[in-house]
Amino acid sequence: MAAMPESPESAPSGISRNEGAVLPDRAAVQHRTVRVLMAAQIVIGVGMGAVISSGSLLVERLTGSQAAAGFATTLVTLGAAALSVPLAALSRSRGRRAGLGTGALIAAAGSLVVLVAAPLGWVPLAFLGLLLVGAGTAANLQSRFAATDLAEADGRARALSLVVWSVTVGAVLGPNLTGPGAAVSRALGLPEEAGAFVFSCVAYLLGWALIHTRLRPDPMLLAARLNPGETAGRGAPFLTRMSGALRHVAASPSALTGLIALVLSHAVMVSVMTMTPVHLAHHGASLSVVGFTLSLHIAGMYAFSPLVGRAADRFGRVPVILAGQVVYVAATLLAGTAGDRRWAVTAGLFLLGVGWSCATVAASTLLSESVDAGHRAEVQGASDMLMGLVGAAGGALSGAFAAVSGYGGLNAAAAVLVVPVSACALYFGLRKR
């Protein structure tokens, strides 16, 4: 249903007035939307970074098993996968504020559940909390698509990349809260690895507050008003819309290329990143060293995304996807042969983040612009769900794989996924030419 006209007095920023009528100023609203999303992503990034650095260590402590440590990231990514489609459907029906804000609230609740479970040693309850924390990852991923709702074609990759980049501040800060988190844990009587979840809970709540109060007008709802095609199929049953969206992707070589690159590239990153804290800890690294390494990895993921976005707009999506695969090979080779050389592990993780940035920014833009407006929200939700499922599988297998073949073997196995991504991108690029 189209939104009711607003009075001139109540019209939000980015809405112009013309002879008593309230008219949307697309460019102004897009500018405001990107700024609000960036601000929210900064604080949500703190929550994500804190969970990444401490989750696997907390699970290893609670279970006493290195193989089980990988389940921390697995559960977070499974939670993101399970909630991506419902949150996308909520955004489709009620707007981005509802979808993104709900994801942040669920993640805050998940952090609280982990904080309750940790001192009691209740592993199943801690696992439930980590599943719920995955909603924060789902909201983070869908924020990048929200930046493209009102963007012009020649600026989509740049808008998306700016929102991705904004996570840098918070996500780099988050892992470095392991030290302060240990102090908080001692004060609250928690295991020292659990303290970071206090910061993640607060961060997700602040992210919700920013989205709920400042993301006005809602970009997806406004896009539907400006482009009636956005509302196509909105009243259809959920499964009908989802199956139609997936058929739409399968019929589009560009959309299918973007989806494959997005999903498999995410699996490479998650698989290696999951076991890196455990690998470093087993070689005598302190929590501060682990946090610093994860911070540089996250900086690689997000810090250069504006440059990646500009490159994708200028040189094309496929060349940037392929560049990301080349960086992945270098990253896994460096980290996989590092042994106990911490600098090599850190450098490899940084490059792993850069490769993820290239693949994610370019592939997300290619996928989003390759589908019709009427299918876009469902395709975005489905892509994030598949990213989560494949990432969860990678995280689950990484612990067992590292226990059997070592950290080097894990890196070698992850690098194999570069092959199908490169083959699909090259095939599409040559076919397009």
Side-chain angles (χ1 to χ4, degrees):
M1 179 181 296
M4 294 296 291
E6 303 176 52
S7 66
E9 292 78 16
S10 63
S13 174
I15 302 296
S16 61
R17 304 162 180 79
N18 185 16
E19 297 181 355
V22 180
L23 302 175
D25 182 347
R26 187 185 188 114
V29 175
Q30 167 66 4
H31 181 66
R32 174 183 172 84
T33 295
V34 170
R35 285 191 289 112
V36 173
L37 289 172
M38 289 174 66
Q41 290 301 89
I42 288 174
V43 292
I44 287 176
V46 173
M48 292 175 54
V51 170
I52 287 173
S53 63
S54 299
S56 58
L57 296 175
L58 178 61
V59 169
E60 185 181 26
R61 179 187 181 100
L62 293 177
T63 63
S65 169
Q66 177 187 355
F71 279 110
T73 302
T74 300
L75 290 166
V76 172
T77 51
L78 270 179
L83 292 166
S84 290
V85 171
L87 291 177
L90 185 59
S91 295
R92 167 84 155 162
S93 61
R94 298 184 56 191
R96 295 291 188 184
R97 279 198 312 128
L100 301 180
T102 299
L105 280 180
I106 294 174
S111 298
L112 282 176
V113 171
V114 172
L115 289 172
V116 171
L120 299 175
W122 290 358
V123 176
L125 187 61
F127 282 2
L128 173 62
L130 289 168
L131 277 171
L132 296 176
V133 167
T137 301
N140 164 262
L141 290 172
Q142 291 186 18
S143 290
R144 76 195 193 281
F145 288 127
T148 67
D149 287 339
L150 296 169
E152 300 295 341
D154 60 354
R156 287 195 188 112
R158 181 174 182 274
L160 185 148
S161 67
L162 286 173
V163 173
V164 172
W165 169 81
S166 64
V167 182
T168 306
V169 178
V172 170
L173 176 63
N176 286 295
L177 294 175
T178 50
V184 171
S185 295
R186 289 190 291 271
L188 298 178
L190 301 169
E192 67 174 10
E193 297 88 351
F197 285 87
V198 175
F199 299 115
S200 70
C201 181
V202 174
Y204 286 128
L205 288 174
L206 288 175
W208 167 80
L210 279 169
I211 292 167
H212 183 71
T213 61
R214 305 298 298 169
L215 195 61
R216 299 173 184 269
D218 189 283
M220 177 164 277
L221 297 182
L222 179 56
R225 291 175 60 191
L226 295 175
N227 305 290
E230 291 280 358
T231 61
R234 178 169 288 182
F238 172 76
L239 290 179
T240 300
R241 298 199 310 268
M242 186 57 63
S243 62
L246 293 177
R247 287 195 302 270
H248 188 61
V249 171
S252 169
S254 58
L256 191 58
T257 299
L259 182 62
I260 291 172
L262 194 60
V263 170
L264 294 186
S265 294
H266 188 66
V268 175
M269 188 276 292
V270 172
S271 299
V272 176
M273 180 271 295
T274 297
M275 292 308 297
T276 298
V278 177
H279 173 75
L280 288 170
H282 286 180
H283 283 83
S286 65
L287 284 177
S288 297
V289 171
V290 172
F292 176 72
T293 299
L294 268 295
S295 291
L296 286 182
H297 166 65
I298 295 170
M301 291 173 65
Y302 300 117
F304 304 105
S305 54
L307 297 178
V308 173
R310 287 181 180 274
D313 280 334
R314 181 173 181 180
F315 302 111
R317 319 315 187 198
V318 170
V320 176
I321 291 173
L322 291 171
Q325 306 313 300
V326 173
V327 176
Y328 265 160
V329 171
T332 53
L333 180 62
L334 184 57
T337 59
D340 59 358
R341 295 174 297 160
R342 296 174 189 170
W343 69 266
V345 175
T346 301
L349 262 287
F350 173 75
L351 289 177
L352 190 76
V354 174
W356 180 90
S357 180
C358 292
T360 300
V361 170
S364 296
T365 306
L366 179 63
L367 175 64
S368 187
E369 68 188 9
S370 298
V371 295
D372 294 340
H375 296 293
R376 193 165 293 145
E378 285 75 25
V379 169
Q380 291 167 353
S383 69
D384 288 346
M385 178 188 70
L386 291 172
M387 284 176 68
L389 290 175
V390 174
L397 293 173
S398 65
F401 206 99
V404 173
S405 60
Y407 185 66
L410 172 63
N411 276 269
V416 172
L417 296 178
V418 167
V419 177
V421 174
S422 300
C424 289
L426 284 170
Y427 174 76
F428 170 68
L430 293 173
R431 177 176 176 176
K432 185 177 179 181
R433 288 186 179 181

